[in-house]
Amino acid sequence: MRAVDWCLSSAGAAVVLATSSDEQHPAENMADGSSQTFWTTTGMFPQEFIIGFPKCVKISKVAIQCYLVRTLRIERSVSKDPVGFEQCVEKDLQHTEGQLQMEEFPLPDFQATYLRFIIKSAFDHFVSVHRVMAEGTAENT
């Protein structure tokens, strides 16, 4: 079975919640496959967003391209609705002055219908998330 990036809108993913809204940098930008577009927070932390998949998917790796994020937590849900999340990983990211932070999180034998990304703290008042990727295959559930 071929690997798929389940976080792409073209693969059926949707941003079902984002705690900040900026009409010039909407949350949907995180799922368009481009590092040139982004979602930006509007101050105060924590901030979060939830990406929903079209079905239960098996994920082997999650990656994020962002800027000025200090502490990130990733949670998953296998429920039909975006509830019942459990923590998968939490990490303090390195500050990269003037360039995107690119972090990968290997997650062997990992299933999800939703992923919640919680930006717990930042290096500045605002952060941007350019791209989120979840590499994996479809489950038959």
Side-chain angles (χ1 to χ4, degrees):
M1 205 176 256
R2 200 168 61 88
V4 174
D5 179 359
W6 285 113
C7 284
L8 291 173
S9 53
S10 61
V15 179
V16 297
L17 172 110
T19 53
S20 288
S21 177
D22 180 325
E23 64 185 40
Q24 294 192 341
H25 304 289
E28 293 76 26
N29 285 351
M30 294 181 288
D32 68 5
S34 171
S35 296
Q36 303 302 312
T37 58
F38 57 91
W39 168 68
T40 187
T41 63
T42 53
M44 302 290 288
F45 293 94
Q47 294 279 340
E48 69 179 65
F49 60 91
I50 298 173
I51 295 182
F53 305 118
K55 54 189 166 189
C56 186
V57 296
K58 188 171 187 175
I59 297 170
S60 58
K61 175 176 68 175
V62 172
I64 188 167
Q65 292 179 344
C66 52
Y67 189 60
L68 296 174
V69 173
R70 183 186 301 260
T71 305
L72 176 69
R73 177 191 295 166
I74 302 173
E75 300 177 344
R76 71 153 180 175
S77 172
V78 292
S79 299
K80 186 173 156 268
D81 296 309
V83 296
F85 284 90
E86 60 184 54
Q87 182 174 327
C88 305
V89 65
E90 184 171 317
K91 185 174 181 184
D92 289 331
L93 308 187
Q94 293 294 315
H95 182 54
T96 55
E97 188 63 45
Q99 58 186 334
L100 291 180
Q101 297 161 293
M102 299 174 73
E103 291 288 332
E104 288 189 359
F105 305 93
L107 300 166
D109 289 333
F110 180 85
Q111 293 183 23
T113 48
Y114 295 93
L115 287 179
R116 176 163 61 187
F117 294 79
I118 302 171
I119 301 166
K120 295 179 71 177
S121 62
F123 291 105
D124 202 342
H125 297 292
F126 305 97
V127 304
S128 59
V129 178
H130 294 249
R131 198 150 173 236
V132 179
M133 294 148 280
E135 188 176 288
T137 56
E139 283 296 292
N140 293 326
T141 56

